[in-house]
Amino acid sequence: MKKTVRGVEYDTETMTAVKKVTHGEFGDPAGYEETLYVAENGSYFLYTNGGEASKYTAEKLTSLSKAKAAAWEKENA
């Protein structure tokens, strides 16, 4: 997925995946996935996507601070 943040385009295809968490199974309407990425410049992003009954009903890439990324990692250890 590609997203432009403050004039810079980020692409999950070129970023490094730090950790991926899935909830439910493929095809589960309430299932979803979260993947923490880090870009070359050190920016962190959380990619989210899920079924129509999940908390992530659309594909999204959200910028995170380093502290929030660390907190997400700890929460999902």
Side-chain angles (χ1 to χ4, degrees):
M1 171 181 202
K2 293 181 183 179
K3 182 179 182 179
T4 302
V5 178
R6 295 183 206 102
V8 178
E9 185 175 86
Y10 294 95
D11 185 352
T12 56
E13 295 292 321
T14 60
M15 290 189 278
T16 302
V18 177
K19 182 173 181 94
K20 181 177 183 175
V21 178
T22 57
H23 302 269
E25 296 187 22
F26 183 77
D28 178 0
Y32 61 92
E33 67 180 65
E34 299 172 309
T35 308
L36 180 63
Y37 285 95
V38 64
E40 272 187 30
N41 67 0
S43 298
Y44 288 89
F45 293 89
L46 187 63
Y47 167 83
T48 54
N49 194 20
E52 67 270 0
S54 75
K55 66 181 185 177
Y56 302 116
T57 57
E59 187 178 45
K60 189 173 181 183
L61 190 62
T62 305
S63 177
L64 297 178
S65 67
K66 187 173 183 176
K68 286 189 179 188
W72 182 90
E73 268 192 285
K74 186 175 181 180
E75 182 180 301
N76 289 283

